[in-house]
Amino acid sequence: RIARMMKVCKSSRTKMATLGYPSPATIREARKQLGITQSAAAEMVHSTCRVWQQWESGDRKMHPAFWELFKIKSMFNARISK
């Protein structure tokens, strides 16, 4: 019984962990739509250009918190530039 519950919990955690991660293509497209460089995008989320490159190439997953920060700052910057 406990083993079954552990299996269900592990499965749920795995599903939850992958839900909020943006794909490399999504990250790249969002940055390109803003018309900014990888360095500028990395600076927006307090990261390095190399890490941003790894997110876009799929070598590393972008944590959902960084993705949310990028989206919030993108919306804020878009409002200011209008």
Side-chain angles (χ1 to χ4, degrees):
R1 204 175 203 178
I2 292 174
R4 183 173 175 219
M5 285 175 47
M6 295 285 284
K7 186 177 179 182
V8 170
C9 288
K10 184 178 180 184
S11 173
S12 296
R13 277 190 306 228
T14 302
K15 287 177 186 173
M16 287 173 45
T18 58
L19 287 178
Y21 290 90
S23 71
T26 301
I27 297 167
R28 188 178 317 105
E29 194 57 38
R31 176 185 60 80
K32 286 184 176 183
Q33 283 182 345
L34 288 176
I36 59 174
T37 64
Q38 289 177 327
S39 294
E43 195 173 303
M44 285 175 67
V45 296
H46 308 283
S47 185
T48 64
C49 183
R50 180 67 189 129
V51 169
W52 190 275
Q53 291 168 344
Q54 290 172 335
W55 289 334
E56 285 193 8
S57 69
D59 292 338
R60 175 184 269 188
K61 283 187 178 180
M62 178 187 267
H63 191 278
F66 285 109
W67 181 239
E68 288 298 318
L69 179 60
F70 181 73
K71 291 190 306 184
I72 290 167
K73 286 191 166 188
S74 298
M75 288 187 295
F76 182 73
N77 288 340
R79 288 182 182 166
I80 289 177
S81 64
K82 284 185 179 181

